[in-house]
Amino acid sequence: ISENRISSSSTLIKHSLNKNEEEFVVKRRKIVLKSLQKLKIHCSKDAVPNIALLGSGGGQKAMVGLLGSLVQLDKAGLLDCVLYLNGVSGSTWCMASLYQEPDWSTKLETVKDKIIRRLSGPGVSWGDALAKLKKYYYGKDHFSLTDVWATMVINEHRLTGQRNKHNKDPFPIYTVIDKQCKQNREGDPCFEISPHEAGYSLIGAFVETSSFGSQFYNGRKIKDQPEIDMLYLQALCGSAIADGDANIKYAWEYIKGLCSVLFVQFVFSSTDPNSPPVGKCSQVLMDLVDMNLSVLNGIDPFDLHESIRTNLNELTGGKDQHIFQVEKLNLADKEAAQLHMRKYTLDICALLSVSFSFWPFDICFSICRCAVLWIWGRKYDFLQNMTDKTVPRALLESETRDYIDAGVLQNSPYFSVLREERDIDLIISLDFSDGDPFMTVREAAETCRKRKIPFPEVNIPDKDVKKPKDFYVFKGKNTPTVIHIPLFNVVNCGDDIDSWRYKYVTLSGPYNAEKISKLMEVAGRNISNNRAKLLKHIRAAIGQKHNKQHCD
């Protein structure tokens, strides 16, 4: 295995921690030791347990639920015992908000209030969203629907800006997956992003976070791209919409609204009589969006096609009309109809982009292309043309990779903390998922069994699926101990679990202040009600680590 890092502009393949993370861990373990002493837990310096706190996906429910849990961990004196804070999807939104604030864990009550005000306040203005979108579009080689998704939230801090500003906080790890690895069932889909490195957790292939997205060839950077910011990171981690085609219709609806705003602003401000006929071009694009929506809704789009032909005839002087001849689509064959619309959309965008290669038409063409090709989270493949035999061939041969929400594969970020080099003793998993409250831990156990990764056996009574308790512990020989805490359970919800689940489904609109407050309270009770149990298992982890070191 290659272990040679030449500079920050080279790819690293090895199974060891980044030196900056190693230094952070040494300092953080000192904080953990002091925290244990305050809790009157005896522990030697060498036996300090490595504790990872995991937040699952679950949209805004996960964001608020994680925040409520962290607040209670802080009040219980347990937050400073945590070495790693790792999230998927909605939990990463909470993390991104927290890590805006230097040493947030020392002023969590203040930071919490600030986050809640933002959550229950007004959304992002179109002006801010479009300004950010413009910056993304013109700033890098690969534009995707993730860039559009990202403009809904404004927070431009760079991820590497978190370095050296969180000496008193847990080490943050954000988790996504490689879409091609998931779809083709090849390679390693698990991808982690920290303030220092980004890469594939299980195969140990990493690049400096500041260079994630830049172009590499044979392990060396050959072209810079802008560093991802926290806004884009949240969109990347929270892009469950990108999995499959169930959400294509929703995406086109959003694109329609976005294009409407862009065209209204631009067309009415264009007063140059010698300028191209932008009004007709914008009408073609709006008809094109509506045509895609019609086909998705099973509605004959022929009238829209005729409108497009009429306007194109004036725009092109009658040239190239043969490209756009359309027979009546057989909408019963959905796959064929959508394939036709893909080619139709790409052809029209290609034709118009020759004369309208300026803002906002250029970005609208690009968005339409991304929508019909369903491109999300596209980045240069930093492993392209490397020859390392430990890396799956697919990752070495592609020019680009697409990254999406990890929750569509594994809705809790186990595999980054299960890296052997992180030597985790205790995992506390907070589960905010819809549906089966044990799916994440069961899937983790099954995947670990197949990959021969140490993980305790998971056995759960069938009756607990509908009526889960608030605290489960799984132990094994030479494995980390796993504590699993379902959000809604018989302890904090009584017989109303189903009503709580219904009220807080993952796919829902923004919560008001009352819903946020109630959810934070119920999530917090899972910590406060189990403080004694958490302390017990922290002590047990110390004992196991001490015994293991003694045996070694």
Side-chain angles (χ1 to χ4, degrees), residues 270-318:
S270 180
T271 57
D272 184 357
N274 298 315
S275 66
V278 293
K280 291 193 180 300
C281 183
S282 63
Q283 186 60 56
V284 169
L285 278 168
M286 292 304 297
D287 286 342
L288 186 62
V289 172
D290 280 332
M291 198 169 171
N292 275 276
L293 279 168
S294 292
V295 171
L296 290 168
N297 287 318
I299 299 170
D300 186 352
F302 193 74
D303 287 346
L304 289 164
H305 164 66
E306 286 295 291
S307 174
I308 288 173
R309 285 189 66 195
T310 299
N311 282 300
L312 279 177
N313 190 55
E314 294 187 34
L315 285 168
T316 65

Side-chain angles (χ1 to χ4, degrees), residues 109 278 347 379 542:
E109 199 64 30
V278 293
D347 284 346
K379 298 288 181 189
I542 293 169

Side-chain angles (χ1 to χ4, degrees), residues 131-376:
K132 186 62 181 175
L133 192 62
K134 194 171 187 177
K135 180 179 178 181
Y136 280 160
Y137 179 73
Y138 291 114
K140 54 186 177 180
D141 290 355
H142 296 294
F143 181 81
S144 75
L145 294 177
T146 305
D147 297 279
V148 181
W149 196 240
T151 59
M152 295 180 176
V153 184
I154 301 295
N155 169 18
E156 292 193 58
H157 298 284
R158 292 182 303 165
L159 183 58
T160 56
Q162 294 180 4
R163 297 175 182 174
N164 304 318
K165 293 182 180 180
H166 297 280
N167 296 321
K168 298 180 181 178
D169 302 321
F171 187 84
I173 305 172
Y174 305 83
T175 313
V176 296
I177 59 166
D178 182 308
K179 183 178 179 180
Q180 288 93 338
C181 285
K182 173 186 179 288
Q183 290 181 334
N184 302 327
R185 297 184 179 181
E186 62 186 10
D188 172 17
C190 304
F191 196 92
E192 64 179 73
I193 305 169
S194 81
H196 301 291
E197 285 189 316
Y200 295 88
S201 302
L202 300 181
I203 62 174
F206 292 90
V207 70
E208 285 267 348
T209 299
S210 59
S211 294
F212 174 48
S214 292
Q215 187 175 13
F216 284 75
Y217 193 80
N218 194 21
R220 288 187 174 274
K221 184 160 62 175
I222 59 174
K223 185 178 183 182
D224 268 319
Q225 293 288 282
E227 180 182 343
I228 64 171
D229 58 30
M230 296 301 292
L231 168 59
Y232 184 86
L233 180 68
Q234 289 175 78
L236 198 67
C237 293
S239 58
I241 186 177
D243 187 51
D245 58 7
N247 297 302
I248 291 177
K249 193 187 304 182
Y250 173 81
W252 276 108
E253 290 283 6
Y254 183 78
I255 290 167
K256 181 178 180 179
L258 177 62
C259 289
S260 295
V261 173
L262 282 166
F263 294 148
V264 166
Q265 286 189 351
F266 181 78
V267 173
F268 286 104
S269 65
S270 180
T271 57
D272 184 357
N274 298 315
S275 66
V278 293
K280 291 193 180 300
C281 183
S282 63
Q283 186 60 56
V284 169
L285 278 168
M286 292 304 297
D287 286 342
L288 186 62
V289 172
D290 280 332
M291 198 169 171
N292 275 276
L293 279 168
S294 292
V295 171
L296 290 168
N297 287 318
I299 299 170
D300 186 352
F302 193 74
D303 287 346
L304 289 164
H305 164 66
E306 286 295 291
S307 174
I308 288 173
R309 285 189 66 195
T310 299
N311 282 300
L312 279 177
N313 190 55
E314 294 187 34
L315 285 168
T316 65
K319 297 178 182 178
D320 300 312
Q321 288 300 293
H322 63 282
I323 297 175
F324 308 111
Q325 298 300 320
V326 154
E327 298 177 5
K328 194 150 185 157
L329 288 177
N330 177 13
L331 296 174
D333 188 342
K334 293 182 180 179
E335 185 176 353
Q338 290 183 30
L339 282 173
H340 171 81
M341 280 309 304
R342 177 186 299 178
K343 184 177 187 308
Y344 185 89
T345 302
L346 293 174
D347 284 346
I348 288 180
C349 288
L351 177 64
L352 289 178
S353 62
V354 174
S355 301
F356 295 88
S357 58
F358 51 85
W359 177 269
F361 296 99
D362 51 359
I363 194 169
C364 289
F365 298 142
S366 184
I367 290 171
C368 287
R369 291 187 197 104
C370 289
V372 293
L373 297 173
W374 207 234
I375 297 171
W376 290 80

